[in-house]
Amino acid sequence: MNRPQTPLPTVPPGHGGRPRGRSPFGLAAPSILFALAYLLALLVWLAAGEVLPGGRWFAVHLFTLGVLTNLVLTFSEHFGRTVTRTTGERSAWWPLVTNTGVLGVLIGLPGGHRWLLVAGATVVTTSVFLAYRRIRAMRRAAVGARFGWIARIYERAHGAFIHGAVLGALLGSGVLAGSWYGGARIAHLHANVLGWGGLTLLATLVFFGPTMARTRIEPGADARAARWLRRGATGLSVAVLVLLATGLPGSAGASARVVAAAALGVYAVGATIVCVPVARAVAAAPHRTAAQPLVLGVVGLFPVVVAADVVVVAAGAWRWLDALGIAVLTGVLAQAILATLVYLAPMLRGRTTAARDRLIARLEVGARTRAGLVLAGVLACTLGAARLGDGLPLAAAGWTLLAVVSLVTLLTALWPVPHPDDA
């Protein structure tokens, strides 16, 4: 990317206690706090899930609806305004509205309250649709913006969520059942995981991945990403539609799988074209940051997992789909969230430049070890979900490892930063 990237702010010697200005991410704080609350709830569920209602469905939606949706909504709008250079922010009460709907879904289905499920899904979907309208208005108002294509991909991601939410509501309410249930569930998962989460992440990685490593992406990579992410988003839309027909018997279902796999192959190529130059830039960065090894893990795993998904869909080997879903949720999306938390925590919590610098130094301690443990936990969870070896103990060990690393990272980022006079 040719546009100069903003370096971390510095302060002249002797002014380390100078108060810092308002963080550019300050308005994202409410959504981040909601996401952290759901993340803590997810850690509790992982520790005591057998005695809690909802089963695996509840854990997945704690992450996708509670954590992921809060963060995607706030950061896609923030970065959408950044790349289109438009002013304004969404109203402060939108996170409250969105999370009222999220709670309705999370309580409605496990509790058997279909009216609450439908109401909650309607509120969340409406919130996402209005966010889509705001981002679309930004892009149209920013005539000639070099990176307006990023806002366009955010729009496509929001559209994927709406499609996935409609499918999810139809599945949860029992409208889609019988032979249609399996294909609709697979389409729902792809729309939400690869569309809502994946497209947003890929568009953001082009510029924010290198920024978290304090470097720049190579020239021309943004133009290639723009072309292939548009194609990948279209491929995913086709795949979601065709996946609905994979439950049909005989040659019709087999043909649908082949077409869906081909469409997902376009998405996989787009993901690879985005991730490879980001990986090269981040690996070659002259400075070592706390987020750097986590970003490398994200861009290393994403192309591998989506390529494997193409094979699974083409072969109809659905028993592997849960394992791939775990790999995407933990190794790609959750790891990207951890990297973002590590990068943003000093900006959000450092009241002074000195406090920010102390928090940066604290997070850099053991950063590579934490990233390595994340990858080990992802591998164990994925193999356990695939039922390779003794699956249950392996998966339990993986989830425990991921929970411990996440908790340690949260404590490291959120623990109060002492004033120099208190040290």
Side-chain angles (χ1 to χ4, degrees), residues 286-375:
H287 305 286
R288 293 289 179 259
T289 68
Q292 183 186 37
L294 293 169
V295 175
L296 284 174
V298 171
V299 295
L301 283 174
F302 205 163
V304 174
V305 174
V306 293
D309 183 54
V310 172
V311 175
V312 167
V313 172
W318 306 125
R319 67 175 292 263
W320 299 98
L321 200 59
D322 284 348
L324 286 178
I326 293 296
V328 174
L329 291 175
T330 58
V332 177
L333 297 177
Q335 189 167 200
I337 290 169
L338 274 182
T340 304
L341 170 67
V342 165
Y343 178 76
L344 293 183
M347 296 185 189
L348 293 172
R349 301 204 58 249
R351 299 290 184 180
T352 66
T353 302
R356 184 211 65 187
D357 291 342
R358 286 196 298 274
L359 187 50
I360 289 174
R362 179 200 292 176
L363 287 165
E364 287 175 350
V365 175
R368 293 184 183 181
T369 300
R370 291 196 301 271
L373 292 175
V374 167
L375 290 178

Side-chain angles (χ1 to χ4, degrees), residues 218-233:
E218 59 196 42
D222 56 324
R224 293 191 297 272
R227 288 193 302 270
W228 277 97
L229 280 184
R230 285 194 293 267
R231 296 167 183 169

Side-chain angles (χ1 to χ4, degrees), residues 158-169:
H158 283 61
F161 177 92
I162 294 169
H163 297 149
V166 171
L167 288 171

Side-chain angles (χ1 to χ4, degrees), residues 123-135:
V123 170
V124 177
T125 304
T126 301
S127 181
V128 172
F129 175 73
L130 293 175
Y132 161 85
R133 292 286 301 273
R134 289 194 297 272
I135 294 174

Side-chain angles (χ1 to χ4, degrees), residues 7-8 10 209-216 285-289 343 364:
L8 290 175
T10 57
T211 296
M212 287 192 282
R214 298 174 64 186
T215 189
R216 300 177 186 179
H287 305 286
R288 293 289 179 259
T289 68
Y343 178 76
E364 287 175 350

